[in-house]
Amino acid sequence: MPKHVFIKTFGCQMNERDSEIIEQLLAQTGYITVSNQEDADLVILNTCSIRAKAEQKVFSLLGLLRKQKEKQPGLHIAVAGCVAQQEGQQIFKRMPHVDIVVGTQQIYQLPDMLFRLKSGETKREISCDLEKTFTIPPFQKLLANHNTTPPSPALSDYRKFVTIMQGCNNFCSYCVVPATRGREISRPVDDILEEVIMLVDKGIKEITLLGQNVNSYGCTNTVADQKTSFAGLLKMVARIPGVERLRFTSSNPQDLSEELMGCFKDFTNICPHFHLPAQSGSNAVLKRMQRKYTRELYLEKVNQLQSFCPEIAISTDMIVGFPGETDQDFQQTMDLLETVRFHGSFSFKYSDRPNTRSADFDDKVDEQVKGERLQCFQKRQDQISLERNRKFLGKTVEVMVENVVEDAVQARTGTNHIVHFTSSTRFIPGDTVQVTIIHAGKHSLNAEKITA
Ligand code: 5AD
Ligand code: SF4
């Protein structure tokens, strides 16, 4: 009898990549992934704890799963990822129907944990240690040990994430990541290149290099023999034949080197999009956030980036209502938005996270004020995004197809803009098409196809 697993992923791209690894691992032990929770005999929640809201979602879904388990006693429930790492044993106390708790660096143990559980050897399984070395993606371990091949990517799989480092050493005062993902560890260069070459051989065209802080790749606690900077690594990946598009995330402004900026000029396959989290436009707030740059340095980096690559699209993350943020501080954030005119941004109301320094700050901002500031920021960002998107009108751009439903095609520009068009030609994800932009909205563009 085939076994069925339903995996729900919360949070960031790091988690999306981990969910893929979990899926691959379980496929090797006979699990088929299903898209409906009710059809599963194993439900895995790969969780995020970056903001209070993300964590609340996990616990409310676990509450619903309790009811499913009452009707379906054989159901196994696993909590993986950042909430698992953060809460550990507490999850069993709060949610006794959970069977497995597995932390961010132990996912490769899942098959063994499941085996022990199913054979009755144990009643519950937990593994939440943070390792001091890079946790090798398990399919590579299997490749090395047994010479087996990972499953080929599905047709729609034309892009993949490749993890280049784990953890974070920045200790921003609001951030839970150093606690949930541990200290920064860089993955060996050869491992990364080997994985990219394997993916390209399987037909993958777009690679995104992933890390919490990619600019400090190779600087701290690297297990690689050779010391390579992130820019050095990026160039090596960009030179691999078949890497048609190369992206990376996430970067911290203080470590952004000229060598890295130069890559945008020198390599046409490095996409002209830079996600550069600012978090606030006020130096006073940045200081209390323990961010290691000023507003002035941030603006200098933006100017430099634009001079290396004039067409580059810059996006950001912004937090409003950080403890002690005054109206004047918030105005500084609005002013940064007006100055940079970000192409897009992810903005959030500050929330307290466990074991972070800012959770103990006593000058918290009123929830209503936070809400008003968020609305104000997002409203202006939407206008700016629309104004910027209108600049595309009448222009011909190259897009890569993401998704096709009958004659409706969704594609993406190198600058990370979503483009919709209709076409009688049957495109498949990963195809490159020249299109002319005929309509601009705040979140996407519409086009007509010119050539395939
Ligand atoms: N409250 C609100 N937003 C946060 N982020 C990280 N921690 C918090 C917090 N405690 C935001 C930051 C980060 C993004 C992933 O989430 O903007 O860049
Ligand atoms: Fe969420 Fe951060 Fe964990 Fe990603 S690393 S899942 S954003 S808490």
Side-chain angles (χ1 to χ4, degrees):
M1 268 272 283
K3 299 166 280 184
H4 295 111
V5 57
F6 173 81
I7 307 174
K8 170 124 181 106
T9 310
F10 300 80
C12 65
Q13 292 160 330
M14 205 70 82
N15 265 17
E16 281 178 42
R17 175 70 193 119
D18 286 349
S19 288
E20 276 182 357
I21 294 175
I22 293 173
E23 192 177 334
Q24 269 169 332
L25 265 179
L26 293 181
Q28 281 160 359
T29 58
Y31 274 94
I32 296 169
T33 303
V34 292
S35 51
N36 197 345
Q37 189 177 306
E38 278 76 39
D39 299 335
D41 29 28
L42 168 64
V43 172
I44 301 177
L45 305 187
N46 194 12
T47 62
C48 173
S49 67
I50 194 89
R51 290 172 294 276
K53 221 168 153 184
E55 191 178 329
Q56 282 151 14
K57 276 192 212 158
V58 172
F59 282 102
S60 60
L61 188 52
L62 281 173
L64 292 177
L65 281 166
R66 178 188 291 141
K67 297 200 182 87
Q68 186 176 337
K69 197 161 177 168
E70 277 163 14
K71 285 189 233 140
Q72 191 190 334
L75 177 71
H76 283 124
I77 300 170
V79 180
C82 291
V83 175
Q85 190 67 48
Q86 180 186 294
E87 298 297 313
Q89 288 283 355
Q90 291 302 321
I91 294 181
F92 293 136
K93 291 211 179 98
R94 221 171 133 182
M95 298 281 163
H97 54 294
V98 170
D99 304 285
I100 298 179
V101 171
V102 61
T104 52
Q105 293 182 16
Q106 306 297 341
I107 49 175
Y108 59 90
Q109 291 191 14
L110 260 170
D112 290 343
M113 295 169 105
L114 272 164
F115 179 80
R116 287 192 295 268
L117 206 65
K118 288 181 154 201
S119 64
E121 201 180 308
T122 51
K123 291 227 164 348
R124 271 176 177 169
E125 285 283 331
I126 179 163
S127 179
C128 287
D129 289 344
L130 283 177
E131 305 280 348
K132 291 195 173 50
T133 55
F134 195 85
T135 356
I136 305 164
F139 71 83
Q140 279 202 313
K141 223 169 158 188
L142 287 172
L143 262 182
N145 293 345
H146 306 297
N147 202 23
T148 52
T149 324
S152 336
L155 200 56
S156 63
D157 271 351
Y158 69 95
R159 56 179 174 180
K160 284 280 176 201
F161 297 126
V162 173
T163 307
I164 65 161
M165 56 201 298
Q166 62 192 30
C168 182
N169 286 358
N170 271 322
F171 295 97
C172 301
S173 61
Y174 53 81
C175 189
V176 79
V177 171
T180 58
R181 297 253 170 197
R183 294 301 87 77
E184 229 168 65
I185 307 167
S186 299
R187 183 179 179 193
V189 174
D190 291 347
D191 258 25
I192 297 168
L193 299 181
E194 197 187 339
E195 184 170 339
V196 174
I197 291 167
M198 184 204 78
L199 290 171
V200 170
D201 280 352
K202 298 256 163 223
I204 298 298
K205 295 179 172 169
E206 181 176 313
I207 298 287
T208 303
L209 302 180
L210 278 187
Q212 297 295 343
N213 189 17
V214 293
N215 292 339
S216 59
Y217 176 82
C219 298
T220 36
N221 197 10
T222 186
V223 285
D225 299 337
Q226 63 268 64
K227 283 257 172 200
T228 308
S229 67
F230 177 61
L233 175 73
L234 192 69
K235 288 180 204 174
M236 286 187 231
V237 176
R239 286 194 189 104
I240 295 175
V243 175
E244 287 183 28
R245 280 188 169 187
L246 180 54
R247 301 181 188 275
F248 57 86
T249 194
S250 194
S251 302
N252 271 306
Q254 71 272 15
D255 306 317
L256 175 47
S257 68
E258 284 197 20
E259 191 189 3
L260 179 60
M261 300 190 208
C263 292
F264 287 98
K265 206 164 135 190
D266 299 338
F267 292 88
T268 50
N269 57 350
I270 298 181
C271 292
H273 169 230
F274 209 103
H275 186 69
L276 194 61
Q279 311 298 3
S280 170
S282 151
N283 280 337
V285 174
L286 287 172
K287 199 163 176 200
R288 284 201 305 278
M289 285 178 162
Q290 287 171 234
R291 300 288 285 173
K292 298 185 183 75
Y293 54 89
T294 57
R295 165 197 182 86
E296 291 73 26
L297 183 81
Y298 186 90
L299 286 170
E300 196 183 308
K301 298 284 180 185
V302 167
N303 283 335
Q304 273 179 303
L305 260 175
Q306 287 165 336
S307 64
F308 275 102
C309 180
E311 78 274 23
I312 202 157
I314 297 176
S315 58
T316 201
D317 287 352
M318 208 64 93
I319 298 175
V320 300
F322 186 77
E325 184 188 73
T326 61
D327 283 342
Q328 286 80 2
D329 290 324
F330 176 64
Q331 278 318 311
Q332 292 278 298
T333 293
M334 291 302 292
D335 188 69
L336 190 73
L337 171 60
E338 292 301 334
T339 311
V340 181
R341 292 174 55 79
F342 297 104
H343 285 71
S345 60
F346 299 99
S347 48
F348 313 99
K349 282 194 279 186
Y350 167 81
S351 60
D352 281 341
R353 305 310 297 131
N355 306 317
T356 57
R357 292 194 59 177
S358 62
D360 295 331
F361 293 175
D362 48 19
D363 43 1
K364 300 280 159 55
V365 174
D366 183 78
E367 274 305 313
Q368 196 188 331
V369 174
K370 279 194 226 171
E372 285 162 9
R373 288 181 185 168
L374 188 68
Q375 231 187 355
C376 172
F377 182 87
Q378 292 181 338
K379 194 170 157 210
R380 185 64 192 129
Q381 174 67 72
D382 281 351
Q383 287 166 347
I384 291 174
S385 300
L386 182 61
E387 284 158 21
R388 279 203 174 270
N389 286 352
R390 285 196 178 129
K391 296 250 180 328
F392 278 97
L393 286 173
K395 289 205 173 128
T396 298
V397 289
E398 186 179 277
V399 294
M400 194 174 267
V401 173
E402 282 192 351
N403 197 6
V404 184
V405 180
E406 293 172 6
D407 64 345
V409 184
Q410 181 180 305
R412 199 176 284 263
T413 64
T415 50
N416 213 28
H417 289 82
I418 291 177
V419 179
H420 298 280
F421 59 95
T422 52
S423 169
S424 51
T425 320
R426 284 303 288 180
F427 290 112
I428 56 165
D431 283 346
T432 302
V433 192
Q434 298 287 328
V435 297
T436 300
I437 305 300
I438 52 170
H439 174 79
K442 58 186 181 210
H443 294 135
S444 65
L445 304 163
N446 291 78
E448 351 176 271
K449 177 195 70 160
I450 303 187
T451 58

